[in-house]
Amino acid sequence: GENVEQHPSTLSVQEGDSAVIKCTYSDSASNYFPWYKQELGKRPQLIIDIRSNVGEKKDQRIAVTLNKTAKHFSLHITETQPEDSAVYFCAAVRVGTYKYIFGTGTRLKVLA
Amino acid sequence: EPEVTQTPSHQVTQMGQEVILRCVPISNHLYFYWYRQILGQKVEFLVSFYNNEISEKSEIFDDQFSVERPDGSNFTLKIRSTKLEDSAMYFCASNRLSSYSGNTIYFGEGSWLTVV
């Protein structure tokens, strides 16, 4: 069935360092890959997304890369700040469906 | 910026009781969703709704669950006879175009359901 694996489950970095979170999806028909940031007790909020016809997308300190052949996509956060601390979820969306398949989440802690 | 709003923010209910969770999607959105998140776990799809009918549902969305758009603004999730394992945060979401075409969905703040 459809599945999205996400690693690592927890990640601690020093302020100013980079953080990388990786996801692997199983459904080769997936064509849309959003990343959400969720602070404790809050709603997931979209931070960046990428479509399958693009290999990389960047928005200031955040970038996402997609390798369709390997069915991998990754979130890169540079120059991390304490306010980046949150749980990050990746998701994959299959063409022709309405449901997002979420990864298991990564708890990112940025240490000041 | 318009937001998806949900009520109640937190509800405690006895096992076996019926619960209705309410959502007001963003006004020009046409596609509506319910997701749930058990504490500490990932967000899981329950159901999508378009044009007054269910578009897709997951295996979690069994006969105990139903959705309705009773008027032009509200979108509700009903759990007929709650079980302990229904305790979770329930997120409503909406978007203007379907996620079929890859457009993002916008989540509400969630309704935290505790079944005791």
Side-chain angles (χ1 to χ4, degrees), chain A residues 28-44:
Chain A
S28 56
S30 299
N31 71 332
Y32 177 62
F33 307 93
W35 284 89
Y36 284 84
K37 175 183 180 182
Q38 186 179 32
E39 297 176 1
L40 189 63
K42 301 285 189 180
R43 76 182 90 194

Side-chain angles (χ1 to χ4, degrees), chain A residues 32 38 43 51 96 98 100, chain B residues 35 37 56 100 102 107-109:
Chain A
Y32 177 62
Q38 186 179 32
R43 76 182 90 194
R51 287 176 170 76
Y98 296 86
Y100 283 36
Chain B
Y35 285 78
Q37 186 177 31
E56 190 169 4
Y100 171 94
F107 287 92
E109 288 284 3

Side-chain angles (χ1 to χ4, degrees), chain A residues 68-83:
Chain A
K68 283 170 53 180
T69 303
K71 292 190 278 189
H72 288 167
F73 58 114
S74 300
L75 178 71
H76 304 252
I77 306 174
T78 58
E79 300 170 29
T80 53
Q81 300 165 4
E83 51 265 37

Side-chain angles (χ1 to χ4, degrees), chain A residues 33 49-57 64-68:
Chain A
F33 307 93
D49 57 11
I50 192 167
R51 287 176 170 76
S52 59
N53 58 347
V54 175
E56 184 173 355
K57 183 177 177 180
V64 57
T65 58
L66 171 65
N67 182 330
K68 283 170 53 180

Side-chain angles (χ1 to χ4, degrees), chain B residues 10 12 17 19 21 26-28 36 44 50-51 55 57 60 68 72-73 75 94 97-98 104 106-107 111 116:
Chain B
H10 188 194
V12 180
Q17 294 296 304
V19 161
L21 305 178
I26 295 172
S27 63
N28 64 348
R36 80 170 186 192
E44 300 174 291
Y50 170 70
N51 200 26
S55 309
K57 60 183 181 179
I60 302 169
E68 193 178 31
S73 60
F75 177 53
S94 68
L97 299 176
S98 71
T104 192
Y106 296 88
F107 287 92
S111 292
V116 296

Side-chain angles (χ1 to χ4, degrees), chain A residues 2-4 31-32 34 36 38 41-46 49 51 89 93-105 107, chain B residues 3-4 31 33 35 37 41-45 48 55-59 89 91 98-109:
Chain A
E2 306 138 330
N3 189 43
V4 175
N31 71 332
Y32 177 62
Y36 284 84
Q38 186 179 32
K42 301 285 189 180
R43 76 182 90 194
Q45 294 205 302
L46 178 76
D49 57 11
R51 287 176 170 76
F89 289 96
V93 186
R94 187 176 198 250
V95 173
T97 75
Y98 296 86
K99 64 182 181 183
Y100 283 36
I101 306 299
F102 281 89
T104 47
R107 183 172 299 280
Chain B
E3 291 185 338
V4 176
Y31 295 83
Y33 311 85
Y35 285 78
Q37 186 177 31
Q41 298 187 21
K42 65 179 176 181
V43 179
E44 300 174 291
F45 171 82
S48 61
S55 309
E56 190 169 4
K57 60 183 181 179
S58 72
E59 58 276 8
M89 178 75 93
F91 290 105
S98 71
S99 56
Y100 171 94
S101 57
N103 288 280
T104 192
I105 62 176
Y106 296 88
F107 287 92
E109 288 284 3

